[in-house]
């Protein structure tokens, strides 16, 4: 007993010593309206850097752990480890069971995720502020107590999940391998940027559990991590909790910065590959500079001048001339290198060598043109506005602090970042152009559509050489796993603090004389204003004339172009110099106008809004160009499995006669029939204040902003009749519909039926509660089965999606091709079991806790508030509807949930759609007991080829032929 007490005493001493050694490195505070993020920075004895930002505006906390390890710490033959470990870090640790991480955070009303790039991996949670200790306990447990929980079974399942992710995001996606090809030909063999973060499948196949564990031991120590906490917290309390949970974790091996020389190209490297695409692609990549290099910001501005926005040289030379669907330039930079990149998607009929020639001519044009004052002003104003907007949420501020600390060692680098961008001169831009582009060599990639015999920009001339490659010595030998010694019981999950009081944000309402309904709220966290106009109608208006489907989308696109006073380029120039934006887009049931502005520039922005709303020019040349783009986009849809799935699924649900079965872009036939006069008449007939709602969120009071909007009273009232849509198509029995996407490595699955319209407090809302544990949460039955248990998919889900119209209930996933039939079986099994057996009491408690505590996150940002207000005005909701929802959630019973499942999960009357490789998936689907119906990419029935009917038999059958009677006997026998 005395020995035990002595041990405890020693642990306490060690722990107290660790606490005493925590160092406050710096404290940064804001003076006046200075643009910075206040914080305190500490370092624990084990090397963990801790940054705390207090923000008491909302009762939320965001916790981020950034490890300075990405794919750049990998080596040849072992790619993808950093990303693989991102998955493994969610698979449980000593004191947190498998899948519990997601469950605990979700049940606490929070959200979480992890991301990996070339240079870092981060894990983060946003939670109600009373759950801070839970978040720190979870993150500390996987930092210090992970490896014993990493089993071979989990390893195999997550390897399958990563393969599915690669299939979904790279191998089965048009242009998905572009970066892989350019990277491996830009960088020397063995350079850690020469492969994608997700790695190669063959490397994942050859890796084993010990490889993965060694990777963790080498790079995931506290001395290679930054823990950043922001939100409604007290810094002193935070540091005590960090010392408790992270302090005992042992320091890891030393991690030294990586420095590699920029790649040197002796000649242009031409490479090519074929893909399942409509538009060929030309990509030119020049070696550039790393992140935070002095030349990075001038290169960013150079990219904007050359190929970003309507004032760029490539837009003028390629987009306006209708030679390219897309033409842009960018300057992505990472820790070790940068890549100045041109990307061109030419229209059919254009050649890739001609695209290369135009890029080179455009560079010469820039040399003569130089840099203008407007170039500088646009870039600086946009950068300032972007920086301000990034501070709207505590998650954004925490992420910035973590990134700056990880890569510069200075969390306050945002101030320096702003200064270096504001200090750019014309001479800086011309200097970096000369240094990195003029006369320099590039990797030039041609991506060619399969089966079209198109020619690359030039013949391939580069082969990867392994000469002079020396594998890095990262120090994996002799690594040992040593767990922390604690003076508390780490297995006990911390109890949450007192629930924060979350109030629905106060809002005001108003109405213009011409009928525009207005709802607004003040948000004084950043000096910006967001306005959201919703004009009812949208794509559904084509129900009046289905032969013109796609007109709403085309009209919205044209309204972003010339006005009577400004060309599109002039309008763009004015907006960018203000750091503002005005965008118009069309959706299924409405057209949306989004306005974003700094408060100081709102008056000037609203003058431009008035011009865009009231005086669109609808010029013939703009019409022809945008109509061509829309038609090419329609033709391109059939290269994308997810788009094919959505298009065919809607046709199955709503029926061929419904406008809801037609894509918003229309069809080739309908868009070809649209004339400029049709567009003008559509605008004249359907854009009216009588069907318009306006949401305003920003750092202004009602009496400040409403007078500025007086011009809206000039908008002429029109009586707009909205269409009554045809009844939805009924489903007699469940069938499988198969669309052949030849040789697709994955299959897209959609299954469901048309359910019900949205309501906030009745059956639709209650059914959303019912579906949460079935397919709404990450740890839902469907996702845990198909992703975590079976490894069939990167993610599977189910959801209701009603609006004012009845919308579908859908279960969906992209699954591994060879698991297609098995995935369908599991979907059906989970839905059937849930309908028949209902929810468990434990699941019901989880659902209530998870949904009930989310309010703290629902109203944090201006965008969150705008979405909330938009729902109120769109559906004419009572002011206390949130209170009613909370009462429903609190009181809903297992019996009610079970009854809703029986009513709204009619598994025997759902459409099951599979878009995949027919040759490999059809045999398995045919064994499931459903009728399998083949459809084409448009959802049309493919009629099986039937042999010609035999002639009437003669009195004697021809020699060697069987009589009809004999044939019948044979069939019966078989």
């Amino acid at each position: 007993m005395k020995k035990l007490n002595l041990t405890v005493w020693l642990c306490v001493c060690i722990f107290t010593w660790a606490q005493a050694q925590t160092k406050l490195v710096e404290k940064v505070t804001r003076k006046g309206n200075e643009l910075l993020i206040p914080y305190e920075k500490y370092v624990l004895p084990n090397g963990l850097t801790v940054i705390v930002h207090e923000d008491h505006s909302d009762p939320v906390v965001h916790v981020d752990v950034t490890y300075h390890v990405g794919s750049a710490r990998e080596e040849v033959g072992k790619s993808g480890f950093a990303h693989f470990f991102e998955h493994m870090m969610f698979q449980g640790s000593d004191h947190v069971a498998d899948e519990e991480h997601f469950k605990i955070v979700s049940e606490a009303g929070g959200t979480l995720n992890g991301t990996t790039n070339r240079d870092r991996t981060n894990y983060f949670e946003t939670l109600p502020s009373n759950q801070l200790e839970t978040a720190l306990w979870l993150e500390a447990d996987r930092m210090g107590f992970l490896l014993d929980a990493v089993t071979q079974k989990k390893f195999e399942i997550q390897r399958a999940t990563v393969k599915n992710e690669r299939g979904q995001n790279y191998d089965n996606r048009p242009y998905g391998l572009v970066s892989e090809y350019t990277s491996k030909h830009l960088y020397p063999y063995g350079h850690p940027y020469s492969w994608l973060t997700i790695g190669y499948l063959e490397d994942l196949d050859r890796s084993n559990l010990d490889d993965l564990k060694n990777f963790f031991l080498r790079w995931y120590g506290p001395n290679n991590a930054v823990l950043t906490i922001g939100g409604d917290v007290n810094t002193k309390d935070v540091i005590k909790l960090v010392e408790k949970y992270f302090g005992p974790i042992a320091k890891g091996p030393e991690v030294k910065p990586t420095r590699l020389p920029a790649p040197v190209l002796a000649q242009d490297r031409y490479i090519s590959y074929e893909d399942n695409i409509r538009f060929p692609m030309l990509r030119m990549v020049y070696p550039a500079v790393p992140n935070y290099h002095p030349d990075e910001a001038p290169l960013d501005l150079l990219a904007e001048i050359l190929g970003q926005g309507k004032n760029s040289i490539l837009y003028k030379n390629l987009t306006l001339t209708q030679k390219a669907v897309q033409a842009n330039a960018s300057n992505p930079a990472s820790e070790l290198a940068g890549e100045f990149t041109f990307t061109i998607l030419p229209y059919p009929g254009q050649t890739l060598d001609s695209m290369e020639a135009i890029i080179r001519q455009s560079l010469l044009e820039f040399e003569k043109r130089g840099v203008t004052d407007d170039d500088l002003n646009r870039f600086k104003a946009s950068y300032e506005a972007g920086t301000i907007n990034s501070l709207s949420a505590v998650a954004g501020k925490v992420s910035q602090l973590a990134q700056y600390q990880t890569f510069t060692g200075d969390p306050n680098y945002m101030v320096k970042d702003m200064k270096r961008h504001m200090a750019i001169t014309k001479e800086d831009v011309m200097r970096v152009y000369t240094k990195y582009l003029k006369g320099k060599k590039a990797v030039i990639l041609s991506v060619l559509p399969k089966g079209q015999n198109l020619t690359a920009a030039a013949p391939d001339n580069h082969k990867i050489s392994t000469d002079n490659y020396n594998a890095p010595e990262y120090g994996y030998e002799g690594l040992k796993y040593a767990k922390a010694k604690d003076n508390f019981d780490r297995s006990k999950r911390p109890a949450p603090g007192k629930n924060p009081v979350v109030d629905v944000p106060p809002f005001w309402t108003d109405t213009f004389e011409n009928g525009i309904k207005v709802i607004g709220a003040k948000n004084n966290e950043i000096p910006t204003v967001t306005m959201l106009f919703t004009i009812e109608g949208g794509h559904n208006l084509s129900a009046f004339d289905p032969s013109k489907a796609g007109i709403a989308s085309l009209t919205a696109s044209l309204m972003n172009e010339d006005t009577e006073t400004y060309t599109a380029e002039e309008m763009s120039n004015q907006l960018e110099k203000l750091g503002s934006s005005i965008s118009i887009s069309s959706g299924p049931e409405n057209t949306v106008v989004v306005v974003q502005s700094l408060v100081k520039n709102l008056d000037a922005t609203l003058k431009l809004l008035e011009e865009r709303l009231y005086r669109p020019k609808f010029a013939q040349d703009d019409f022809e160009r945008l109509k061509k783009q829309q038609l090419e986009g329609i033709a391109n849809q059939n290269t994308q499995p997810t788009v094919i799935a959505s298009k065919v699924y809607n046709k199955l649900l709503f029926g061929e006669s419904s406008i809801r079965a037609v894509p918003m872009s229309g069809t080739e036939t309908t868009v070809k029939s649209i004339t400029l006069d049709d567009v003008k008449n559509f605008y004249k007939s359907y854009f009216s204040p009588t069907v318009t709602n306006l949401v305003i969120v920003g750092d202004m009071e009602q009496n400040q902003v409403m007078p500025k909007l007086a011009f809206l009273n000039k908008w002429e009232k029109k009586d707009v009749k909205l269409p009554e849509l045809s009844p939805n198509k009924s489903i007699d029995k469940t069938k499988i519909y198969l669309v052949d996407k030849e040789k697709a490595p994955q299959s897209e699955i959609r299954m469901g039926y048309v359910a019900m319209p949205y309501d906030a407090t009745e059956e639709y809302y209650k059914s959303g509660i019912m579906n949460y544990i079935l397919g709404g949460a990450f740890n839902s039955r469907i996702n845990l089965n198909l992703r975590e248990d079976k490894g069939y998919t990167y993610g599977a889900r189910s959801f209701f999606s009603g609006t004012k119209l009845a919308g579908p209930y859908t279960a969906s996933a992209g699954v591994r091709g060879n698991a297609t039939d098995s995935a369908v079986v599991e979907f059906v099994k989970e839905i059937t079991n849930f309908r028949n057996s209902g929810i468990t009491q434990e699941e019901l408690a989880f659902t209530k806790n998870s949904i009930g505590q989310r309010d703290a996150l629902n109203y944090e940002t201006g965008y969150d508030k705008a979405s909330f207000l938009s729902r109120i005005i769109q559906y004419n909701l009572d002011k206390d509807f949130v209170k009613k929802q909370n009462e429903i959630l609190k009181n809903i019973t297992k019996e009610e949930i079970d009854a809703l499942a029986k009513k709204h999960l009619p598994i025997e009357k759902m459409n099951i759609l599979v878009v995949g490789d027919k040759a490999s998936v059809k045999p398995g689907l045919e064994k499931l007991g459903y009728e399998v119906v083949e459809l084409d990419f448009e959802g049309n029935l493919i009629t099986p080829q039937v042999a010609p009917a035999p002639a009437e038999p003669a009195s004697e059958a021809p020699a060697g032929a069987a009589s009809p009677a004999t044939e019948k006997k044979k069939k019966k026998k078989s």
Side-chain angles (χ1 to χ4, degrees), residues 687-705:
F687 278 68
S688 170
T690 58
V691 289
T692 298
N693 297 326
L694 170 58
V695 177
I696 304 170
V697 175
D699 192 15
M700 300 185 80
E701 301 288 354
Q702 178 181 2
N703 60 5
Q704 294 174 303
V705 71

Side-chain angles (χ1 to χ4, degrees), residues 810-857:
T810 303
S812 68
V815 303
R816 201 172 67 236
N818 61 4
T820 302
D821 53 339
S822 299
V824 171
V825 168
E826 296 304 321
F827 264 121
V828 172
K829 183 184 79 174
E830 291 297 347
I831 295 172
T832 302
N833 287 346
F834 193 77
R835 186 183 69 168
N836 294 342
S837 303
I839 196 169
T840 67
Q841 289 293 348
E842 182 184 358
E843 289 173 331
L844 181 58
F846 166 81
T847 298
K848 289 186 175 186
N849 287 332
S850 180
I851 298 176
Q853 295 187 79
R854 288 187 308 195
D855 280 353
L857 279 63

Side-chain angles (χ1 to χ4, degrees), residues 107-143:
E107 190 172 21
T111 62
L112 72 162
N113 212 331
T115 66
T116 309
N117 64 26
R118 288 169 162 179
D119 306 307
R120 64 101 187 100
T121 305
N122 70 335
Y123 304 89
F124 49 89
E125 300 88 9
T126 306
L127 290 149
S129 53
N130 66 319
Q131 300 285 351
L132 168 64
E133 187 170 2
T134 296
L136 296 177
W137 170 71
L138 287 168
E139 289 296 349
D141 212 60
R142 60 181 171 190
M143 179 185 283

Side-chain angles (χ1 to χ4, degrees), residues 364-602:
L364 295 175
E365 181 181 336
F366 167 74
E367 280 192 57
K368 297 176 182 178
R369 170 195 182 278
V371 183
T372 68
D373 290 335
D374 276 356
D375 292 334
L376 287 172
N377 293 335
R378 283 197 309 268
F379 180 78
K380 293 177 182 181
S382 296
Y383 186 84
E384 178 191 21
T387 301
I388 290 172
N389 281 311
S390 72
L391 306 180
S392 63
V394 67
K397 290 183 280 189
V398 165
S399 296
Q400 287 218 13
L401 290 169
Q403 166 134 333
Y404 284 134
Q405 171 61 37
T406 299
F407 296 118
T408 73
D410 180 5
N412 196 34
Y413 194 81
M414 186 177 75
V415 175
K416 297 174 185 175
D417 227 0
M418 178 65 73
K419 285 180 180 178
R420 72 185 179 115
H421 282 82
M422 295 300 110
I424 297 173
T425 65
K426 298 177 183 179
E427 292 73 22
D428 289 332
V429 181
M430 297 309 297
R431 175 179 55 78
V432 297
Y433 165 74
T434 301
K435 186 173 182 179
Y436 300 104
L437 268 70
K438 184 178 181 179
K440 300 302 185 291
K441 307 305 179 184
V443 171
I444 303 171
L445 170 68
S446 300
V447 188
L448 305 169
K450 288 181 179 177
Q452 293 191 21
N453 296 318
L454 296 182
T455 305
D460 289 11
N461 69 349
H462 184 253
K463 292 185 178 180
I464 297 169
S465 171
T466 61
D467 294 346
N468 302 317
Y469 170 68
N470 293 308
E473 178 48 63
Y474 282 133
Y476 289 112
E477 295 297 323
L479 295 175
K480 293 183 179 179
Y481 180 36
K483 295 183 185 180
K485 306 293 185 184
D486 295 317
N487 66 341
F488 66 98
D489 186 355
R490 199 180 282 264
S491 67
K492 290 184 178 180
R493 175 180 166 183
K498 184 179 179 182
N499 282 343
V501 177
V502 183
D503 294 321
V504 172
F507 58 88
W508 49 266
T509 58
D510 213 327
T511 306
F512 284 91
E513 296 171 3
N514 55 8
I516 300 175
K517 296 177 183 177
V518 187
I519 188 168
K522 183 168 183 180
N523 181 44
N524 59 5
E525 291 184 37
I526 56 174
T528 63
V529 178
T530 298
M531 296 183 180
L532 178 67
F533 293 82
T534 303
I535 305 165
E536 290 190 77
H539 174 62
N540 287 348
L541 289 167
S542 290
F544 291 131
D545 185 359
S547 69
K548 304 290 183 181
I551 192 170
S553 179
L554 187 53
T555 302
S557 296
L558 273 164
M559 290 184 71
N560 290 309
E561 296 296 324
D562 293 356
T563 69
E564 293 175 6
T565 307
Y566 296 96
T567 65
E569 295 78 14
E570 289 168 342
M571 175 71 79
S572 179
N573 185 41
Q574 293 298 320
L575 286 168
E576 288 180 35
K577 286 196 293 185
L578 296 169
S580 302
S581 65
I582 301 171
S583 63
I584 303 175
S585 60
S586 179
E589 298 174 31
N590 49 53
T591 294
V592 176
V593 183
V594 181
V595 182
Q596 292 185 304
S597 173
L598 298 176
V599 170
K600 66 181 181 181
N601 294 331
L602 182 59

Side-chain angles (χ1 to χ4, degrees), residues 950-971:
E952 288 293 323
S955 56
E956 288 186 24
S963 71
T966 306
E967 279 294 310
K968 287 180 182 176
K969 288 179 183 177
K970 286 183 179 179
K971 288 180 181 176

Side-chain angles (χ1 to χ4, degrees), residues 597-640:
S597 173
L598 298 176
V599 170
K600 66 181 181 181
N601 294 331
L602 182 59
D603 289 342
T605 302
L606 292 178
K607 288 181 180 178
L608 297 172
L609 173 65
E610 180 178 2
E611 179 71 19
R612 182 152 276 176
L613 278 179
Y614 293 167
R615 291 178 282 278
K617 188 174 182 179
F618 295 130
Q620 185 69 38
D621 58 343
D622 288 337
F623 171 75
E624 291 173 358
R625 173 170 49 83
L626 293 175
K627 180 177 176 178
K628 181 180 179 180
Q629 284 184 2
Q630 194 157 322
L631 284 168
E632 291 294 342
I634 292 167
N636 188 47
Q637 290 173 353
N638 290 340
T639 66
Q640 304 170 61

